Amino acid sequence: MTNTNDFRRYSYQNDPATLISAFTYTRGSQAPKVRPQPEERENEIRVREGKGIKSKTELRADQKKSFLMMLRIIAVALLCFFMVGIVINSFALKNQLTREIASQEIAVANAQSEYISLQAELNSLVSISMIDKYAVEELGMTKVKSNQIQYMDVEAFKAKREQSLSKQRDVDGGLKNLKNKLKGHN
């Protein structure tokens, strides 16, 4: 259900004169002017103004509370300094280890580049022409000429060698027999 005021309000919605006249102070959203009350804490040191002189027990109780509060503050401060020291020490250690890692990586990179250069040098030294050059210049060798090449028949060489060995055995055996005979006559 709608009433007539709703139509009127929507029809004059963009008219500034209507908007100003419709403004009411009671419908504002501003915060109330209330003074906030401070909360009382148990551990807070209180100052009494104009209420008289404190007794010795009150003074000792306040002194004890103040001393305990001071010890807590010192303990928290020492803990904070200890934590900061640990953090600084860990950063220093991390920095040192990072530098060591970087130096080791540089050493590995240098070793790899040296390996590559030595491999290239080795490959250049192993060529046939380099071997020939080294043999001729450094070792004083000469290349073989065709009239210096001799071919051997291995089977014939083995047969000759076997014959000469068997002759040698026969000669050695005869000498042993002769020695034994001579020993027997003496």
Side-chain angles (χ1 to χ4, degrees):
M1 297 266 204
T2 60
N3 64 27
T4 58
N5 289 337
D6 289 338
F7 290 113
R8 208 174 302 134
R9 184 175 57 192
Y10 291 122
S11 64
Y12 297 109
Q13 186 174 3
N14 296 329
D15 186 19
T18 309
L19 291 175
I20 290 172
S21 65
F23 181 73
T24 62
Y25 294 104
T26 59
R27 293 177 64 190
S29 64
Q30 67 271 14
K33 293 183 180 179
V34 177
R35 185 181 212 181
Q37 297 295 325
E39 294 179 10
E40 289 191 27
R41 297 183 187 165
E42 280 186 30
N43 299 340
E44 193 172 306
I45 299 174
R46 297 182 206 116
V47 178
R48 297 182 189 174
E49 295 180 17
K51 293 193 177 187
I53 300 175
K54 292 183 178 182
S55 68
K56 281 188 176 185
T57 56
E58 290 177 331
L59 286 174
R60 284 190 183 159
D62 285 346
Q63 187 178 17
K64 188 176 180 181
K65 283 183 185 178
S66 299
F67 183 72
L68 291 175
M69 184 66 79
M70 180 189 67
L71 287 179
R72 286 182 191 157
I73 290 171
I74 289 173
V76 168
L78 288 176
L79 182 65
C80 289
F81 284 135
F82 180 71
M83 298 283 276
V84 167
I86 288 175
V87 168
I88 289 173
N89 186 29
S90 68
F91 282 146
L93 184 62
K94 177 185 165 196
N95 217 1
Q96 179 184 4
L97 292 176
T98 302
R99 274 190 251 120
E100 288 178 11
I101 289 170
S103 68
Q104 293 298 324
E105 287 175 347
I106 289 171
V108 167
N110 289 342
Q112 285 176 341
S113 66
E114 184 179 357
Y115 171 76
I116 290 170
S117 66
L118 289 174
Q119 280 295 102
E121 185 179 343
L122 179 66
N123 289 339
S124 68
L125 291 175
V126 175
S127 68
I128 301 258
S129 62
M130 290 300 290
I131 292 172
D132 286 343
K133 182 179 176 184
Y134 182 77
V136 170
E137 292 177 5
E138 299 293 325
L139 301 176
M141 299 173 110
T142 58
K143 290 191 176 186
V144 178
K145 297 176 185 167
S146 62
N147 62 354
Q148 294 174 329
I149 299 174
Q150 293 181 0
Y151 295 100
M152 294 180 64
D153 185 12
V154 176
E155 295 300 323
F157 176 77
K158 283 182 181 180
K160 274 186 181 180
R161 176 86 175 146
E162 193 61 42
Q163 271 182 345
S164 66
L165 287 175
S166 67
K167 282 182 186 178
Q168 184 68 27
R169 277 188 231 128
D170 290 342
V171 170
D172 288 342
L175 285 177
K176 280 184 185 178
N177 287 336
L178 187 60
K179 280 184 186 178
N180 288 336
K181 284 182 185 179
L182 288 176
K183 280 184 186 179
H185 286 291
N186 285 341

